């Protein structure tokens, strides 16, 4: 999803060289999805992996469940993806970006029977899902099927966010492979480092780049199976491969872990709202995802700039009932029930007003309702026809 780009499209020459270089040097897992790069990622990868590279990697793609109208759509979408990727089977097939709402809908549409059938007929080797909701929902989904793999967000700032460490351990105990996304929070933990954070890294005896520290911290967990890192330059590929070859579960010393803890604390100190994501305030009777709202707000404030659009987009998808039930800050009815539960003594209703002001302006509201209106039509006529119709 983060391939090099030129004039708004994938820079085919650079991206091909990058992927071939990565595979030639030991990268053996490639992750894509229907939606990446405006729908171009899968067919581009199909071209890149032709001629012998497909056989050298485990290939993963994802079902855009929000485009699925019925059971037949699942077969149609998977077959299109196999076609685009120029392969007869997916090593890993994940339901993309599950939330409680998405899970309910796709299950009612027969996704478990579809996964069984696609495994039986050989189109899928391993079935899984990627996840964006609370750890309780994660446990429910994990317990609902004989999954082979799950994909969760995890990094040293997100130990208690969404599935988090609890979810990581729960899945691993059940023998399910755990792939990690956002290991460097979309690159924010690797670049534009605030000076206060940079000082801590510089004071460490061992000199490592922030990216290496972040990745080493994840690979230190024995429960982690594979880490997905978006790379768009050969120097990043080489650095990540060097890091991977040195990283082993349990290889960081107490002192090294202490350095990462200090950095995480420093980042938290820079957060405008001191929410730790502990979830004690949940559930909110009005349906506000309090830690989710605060996390996106803090991310926006710390990393700002280039991250601004990213946090707004995520808020739009996950808090404004485009991909799940609405859980946005503006639902707050100021009942005060959450206040006494917060160990950080955050004035939650007051802070939610700041979140609302940042994320629920007229443009985002308009975009959310446009997406909500478009979805039933996309499901009815199919995503390909819809895209064509929009072009016309
Ligand atoms: S004050 Fe607002 S956020 Fe807190 S529990 Fe009540 S409705 Fe939910
Ligand atoms: S209880 Fe407080 S610190 Fe914990 S998630 Fe809720 S707002 Fe954040």
């Amino acid at each position: 999803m983060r391939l090099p780009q030129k004039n708004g499209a994938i820079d085919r020459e650079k991206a091909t060289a990058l992927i071939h270089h990565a595979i030639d040097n030991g990268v053996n897992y490639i992750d894509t999805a229907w939606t990446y790069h405006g729908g171009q990622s899968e067919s581009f990868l199909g071209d890149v992996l032709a001629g012998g590279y497909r056989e050298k990697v485990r290939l993963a793609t994802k079902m855009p469940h929000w485009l699925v109208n019925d059971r037949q759509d699942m077969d149609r979408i998977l077959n299109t993806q196999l076609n685009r990727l120029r392969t007869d089977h997916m090593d890993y097939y994940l339901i993309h970006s599950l939330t409680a709402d998405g899970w309910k809908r796709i299950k009612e549409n027969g996704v478990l029977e579809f996964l069984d059938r696609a495994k039986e007929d050989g189109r899928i080797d391993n079935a899984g899902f990627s996840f964006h909701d609370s750890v309780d929902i994660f446990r429910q989904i994990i317990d609902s099927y004989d999954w082979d793999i799950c994909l969760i967000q995890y990094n040293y700032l997100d130990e208690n966010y969404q599935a988090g460490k609890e979810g990581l351990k729960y899945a691993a105990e059940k023998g399910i492979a755990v792939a990690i996304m956002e290991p460097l929070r979309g690159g924010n933990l690797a670049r534009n480092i605030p000076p206060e954070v940079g000082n801590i890294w510089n004071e460490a005896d061992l000199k490592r780049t922030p990216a290496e520290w972040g990745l080493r911290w994840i690979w230190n967990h024995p429960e982690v199976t594979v880490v997905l890192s978006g790379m768009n330059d050969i120097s990043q590929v080489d650095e990540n491969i060097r890091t991977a070859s040195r990283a082993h579960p349990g290889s960081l010393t107490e002192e090294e872990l202490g350095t990462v803890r200090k950095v995480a604390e420093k980042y938290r100190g820079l957060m405008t709202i001191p929410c730790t994501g502990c979830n004690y305030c949940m559930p909110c009777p009005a349906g506000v995802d309090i830690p989710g709202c605060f996390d996106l707000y803090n991310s926006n404030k710390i990393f700002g700039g280039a991250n601004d659009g990213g946090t707004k987009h995520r808020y739009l998808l996950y808090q404004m009932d485009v991909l799940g039930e609405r859980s946005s800050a503006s639902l707050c009815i100021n009942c005060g029930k959450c206040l006494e539960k917060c160990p950080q003594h955050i004035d939650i209703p007051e802070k939610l007003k700041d979140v609302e002001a940042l994320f629920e302006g007229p443009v985002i509201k308009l975009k959310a309702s446009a997406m909500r209106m478009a979805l039933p039509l996309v499901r009815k006529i199919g995503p390909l026809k819809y895209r064509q119709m929009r072009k016309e």
Side-chain angles (χ1 to χ4, degrees):
M1 72 178 288
R2 297 187 203 280
L3 292 169
Q5 299 194 68
K6 195 161 78 180
N7 304 325
I10 298 171
D11 181 337
R12 295 183 70 89
E13 198 182 330
K14 197 172 169 201
T16 303
L18 186 86
I19 294 169
H20 287 171
H21 178 81
I23 299 171
D24 288 342
N25 286 280
V27 170
N28 60 3
Y29 187 103
I30 305 274
D31 170 89
T32 183
W34 177 282
T35 47
Y36 293 170
H37 286 282
Q40 299 304 307
S41 178
E42 289 174 329
S43 42
F44 169 73
L45 271 176
D47 294 344
V48 171
L49 297 178
Y53 278 96
R54 168 67 185 96
E55 292 71 31
K56 295 180 182 175
V57 292
R58 309 291 172 91
L59 189 54
T61 196
K62 312 186 190 83
M63 173 202 285
H65 67 81
W66 54 91
L67 298 179
V68 169
N69 208 30
D70 52 33
R71 170 68 183 77
Q72 286 71 36
D73 278 352
M74 299 178 197
D75 282 310
R76 189 176 49 75
I77 287 175
L78 171 59
N79 293 341
T80 304
Q81 291 175 301
L82 292 170
N83 228 0
R84 286 176 175 179
L85 284 157
R86 297 163 70 170
T87 185
D88 60 358
H89 72 283
M90 291 313 307
D91 299 302
Y92 296 91
Y93 194 64
L94 292 86
I95 310 169
H96 199 170
S97 210
L98 275 188
T99 57
D101 203 43
W103 173 235
K104 186 170 171 280
R105 214 183 130 267
I106 198 81
K107 208 162 56 155
E108 284 166 4
N109 275 326
V111 77
L112 299 183
E113 189 270 324
F114 159 77
L115 291 174
D116 283 343
R117 181 65 64 90
K119 282 177 88 166
E120 264 166 41
D121 66 29
R123 286 176 296 163
I124 297 176
D125 274 357
N126 296 285
F129 64 96
S130 67
F131 184 75
H132 289 287
D133 208 321
S134 69
V135 66
D136 293 339
I137 304 295
F138 181 77
R139 283 172 176 269
Q140 278 176 33
I141 299 177
I142 285 282
D143 292 342
S144 304
Y145 185 66
D146 190 10
W147 302 104
D148 301 296
I149 187 166
C150 60
L151 174 57
I152 62 169
Q153 173 164 339
Y154 197 60
N155 57 65
Y156 62 74
L157 276 189
D158 289 323
E159 267 191 283
N160 300 311
Y161 181 61
Q162 295 183 350
K165 188 175 221 154
E166 188 183 330
L168 168 70
K169 287 188 176 291
Y170 191 68
E173 274 164 17
K174 295 201 154 208
I176 297 168
V178 186
I180 302 298
M181 59 178 149
E182 303 285 353
L184 301 172
R185 273 201 169 205
N188 283 313
L189 299 180
R191 56 172 187 252
N192 304 327
I193 306 296
E196 305 90 322
V197 171
N199 289 342
I200 302 175
W201 292 139
N202 291 337
E203 282 162 12
D205 290 341
L206 269 166
K207 299 302 168 217
R208 293 183 175 130
T209 63
E212 180 171 1
W213 277 109
L215 293 172
R216 288 286 301 257
W217 183 85
I218 293 170
W219 275 313
N220 203 50
H221 295 70
E223 299 88 356
V224 169
T225 312
V226 63
V227 177
L228 309 185
S229 175
M231 295 165 259
N232 52 31
D233 190 90
I234 281 192
S235 64
Q236 294 170 353
V237 175
D238 287 337
E239 180 184 347
N240 284 356
I241 288 173
R242 267 196 311 277
T243 305
S245 62
R246 293 183 199 127
H248 303 284
S251 63
L252 293 185
T253 64
E254 252 324 297
E255 196 184 338
E256 290 169 300
L257 289 170
T259 300
V260 180
R261 264 195 301 274
K262 264 197 223 162
V263 164
E265 275 159 28
K266 185 54 77 181
Y267 270 122
R268 283 201 194 95
L270 295 173
M271 288 177 180
T272 321
I273 303 171
C275 173
T276 59
C278 69
N279 257 344
Y280 295 156
C281 54
M282 294 292 282
C284 154
V288 181
D289 172 10
I290 302 168
C293 285
F294 288 165
D295 179 74
L296 286 173
Y297 184 87
N298 280 330
S299 245
N300 185 290
K301 292 294 169 191
I302 298 177
F303 302 114
N307 195 41
D308 186 54
T311 48
K312 285 185 175 155
H313 185 67
R314 292 180 75 139
Y315 192 89
L316 172 78
L317 291 183
Y318 299 111
Q319 259 70 37
M320 302 285 280
D321 73 349
V322 173
L323 287 189
E325 271 181 39
R326 185 158 163 225
S327 57
S328 65
S330 57
L331 291 175
C332 174
I333 49 168
N334 212 352
C335 70
K337 283 190 179 145
C338 53
L339 286 169
E340 60 185 27
K341 297 183 196 156
C342 179
Q344 307 300 320
H345 308 295
I346 298 169
D347 186 345
I348 295 173
E350 205 47 44
K351 292 293 174 197
L352 284 172
K353 285 184 192 154
D354 296 342
V355 178
E356 182 183 347
L358 179 67
F359 287 130
E360 296 187 52
V363 176
I364 289 206
K365 278 190 178 150
L366 210 67
K367 267 192 183 173
S369 51
M371 284 170 93
R372 275 195 297 272
M373 278 195 311
L375 264 179
L377 180 62
V378 177
R379 285 183 191 132
K380 198 166 166 208
I381 68 171
L384 295 178
K385 270 197 199 144
Y386 179 75
R387 195 171 299 136
Q388 203 177 351
M389 194 180 90
R390 283 192 63 191
K391 271 188 199 152
E392 284 162 4

